Amino acid sequence: MNHDVIITCALTGAGDTASKSHLVPVTPKQIAEAAVEAAKAGATVVHCHVRDPQTGRFSRDVALYREVMERIREADVDIIVNLTAGMGGDLEIGPGETPLEFGPGTDLIGPLERLAHVEALLPEICTLDCGTLNFGDGNSIYVSTPAQLRAGAKRITELGVKAELEIFDTGHLWFAKQMMKEGLLDDPLFQLCLGIPWGAPADTTTMKAMVDNLPANVTWAGFGIGRMQMPMAAQAVLLGGNVRVGLEDNLYLDRGVLASNGQLVERAVEIISRLGARVLTPAEGREKMNLKRR
């Protein structure tokens, strides 16, 4: 069991959730306010996407990331900032017998362009999604090939940003360890992402199997989506890991009760404390993750 737990709050994500809950932050101001709320509730880290303020849809606009970062850094709280670098890997295959007629959900760019905002803003942590995945039940695929991953990992390391490796299935973990063997990553973090159709399911057996295959002595966290968010938070702590919660992964505090990011962090803090563990401050989290404060 892990008795000194890092809580990451994933504030907004990129999915079609803003239409399902008015509490999902959309504008840079709202996202930064959600980060402050999460920090005051006890989060160690905030994980940030940005959205188009007009449409609520996902965005890769560096200016939006810059505004979020500036607002967080100007706030009266200390919080570790983790920026997604997963945007730009979306491929919507055309329907039926026209697979090359890519759909409107396609947003596919190269591995270095996916890091444009990371290079400009130098957060303490950024993510690297470690493989291609059937994403959802339609024709959407998240694309991240071995060649793209090697290029992204190398650049993140050159920038001096800590990589958090997003592991959606066992093959992703296998390749993450290969990148470490090749010297492309410097002491990365691992995030076990469970419950996304059709990646690894959110259950005890799967999480334990992935934990058993992690490299020795790495810092890792795990999460489940939807109603499995809090059960997987507890399971991660019991298996020696850290926790991620937030509106990117789950919209509800209880059945039928919409949550804010701060409320989800508070619930996670309560679970962790009742297990006999404690939540690390951002300063303690930096020490545990060997981060360079920006």
Side-chain angles (χ1 to χ4, degrees):
M1 176 173 161
N2 179 16
H3 289 88
D4 299 298
V5 181
I6 295 163
I7 294 181
T8 295
C9 185
L11 302 172
T12 186
D16 182 22
T17 52
S19 64
K20 300 173 183 176
S21 172
H22 67 284
L23 296 172
V24 173
V26 172
T27 68
K29 182 174 184 291
Q30 291 169 343
I31 294 168
E33 287 172 348
V36 172
E37 177 195 18
K40 290 182 176 180
T44 319
V45 181
V46 287
H47 172 63
C48 302
H49 291 245
V50 295
R51 294 175 180 260
D52 184 321
Q54 304 303 316
T55 66
R57 284 175 51 79
F58 65 82
S59 176
R60 294 185 283 102
D61 189 335
V62 175
L64 295 175
Y65 278 106
R66 179 174 285 108
E67 183 178 347
V68 169
M69 289 283 287
E70 288 174 350
R71 287 180 178 274
I72 292 173
R73 285 170 170 166
E74 290 168 359
D76 61 345
V77 297
D78 182 21
I79 193 75
I80 299 166
V81 175
N82 172 337
L83 294 185
T84 183
M87 306 308 298
D90 299 310
L91 178 60
E92 185 180 345
I93 298 296
E97 300 306 310
T98 59
L100 294 179
E101 294 180 8
F102 299 148
T106 298
D107 178 41
L108 196 59
I109 58 174
L112 299 185
E113 190 175 350
R114 296 183 200 186
L115 294 169
H117 60 298
V118 175
E119 186 157 355
L121 302 171
L122 296 178
E124 294 177 84
I125 305 170
C126 78
T127 62
L128 185 65
D129 294 352
C130 283
T132 298
L133 181 75
N134 286 334
F135 211 94
D137 217 24
N139 275 341
S140 293
I141 298 171
Y142 181 79
V143 177
S144 196
T145 68
Q148 290 173 327
L149 284 166
R150 286 186 171 99
K154 181 174 182 292
R155 187 61 184 141
I156 291 168
T157 300
E158 289 170 349
L159 293 171
V161 176
K162 179 76 72 172
E164 180 184 86
L165 307 181
E166 308 297 284
I167 307 297
F168 293 87
D169 215 340
T170 51
H172 297 185
L173 179 54
W174 185 10
F175 189 71
K177 293 192 291 185
Q178 178 62 29
M179 289 191 289
M180 292 179 69
K181 286 181 182 178
E182 294 175 13
L184 296 169
L185 294 160
D186 182 16
D187 187 28
L189 312 170
F190 282 76
Q191 181 73 259
L192 306 181
C193 312
L194 306 181
I196 294 90
W198 293 103
D203 59 49
T204 296
T205 302
T206 301
M207 184 180 281
K208 185 176 187 304
M210 296 174 89
V211 171
D212 288 345
N213 280 283
L214 287 169
N217 302 317
V218 297
T219 300
W220 69 273
F223 71 87
I225 66 169
R227 67 185 182 89
M228 294 305 292
Q229 183 169 85
M230 295 304 165
M232 289 296 99
Q235 186 62 83
V237 173
L238 291 170
L239 288 174
N242 301 288
V243 167
R244 169 170 140 173
V245 295
L247 293 180
E248 176 171 349
D249 307 320
N250 165 49
L251 298 178
Y252 293 95
L253 186 65
D254 294 301
R255 187 179 180 89
V257 180
L258 291 171
S260 71
N261 281 294
Q263 288 172 322
L264 292 173
V265 172
E266 288 171 354
R267 179 66 57 85
V269 170
E270 180 183 2
I271 289 170
I272 290 163
S273 65
R274 287 180 180 273
L275 288 172
R278 71 184 187 97
V279 178
L280 298 186
T281 67
E284 292 171 324
R286 288 186 184 95
E287 183 175 354
K288 182 171 182 174
M289 294 184 283
N290 297 316
L291 296 178
K292 302 173 184 177
R293 184 169 183 177
R294 302 292 186 181

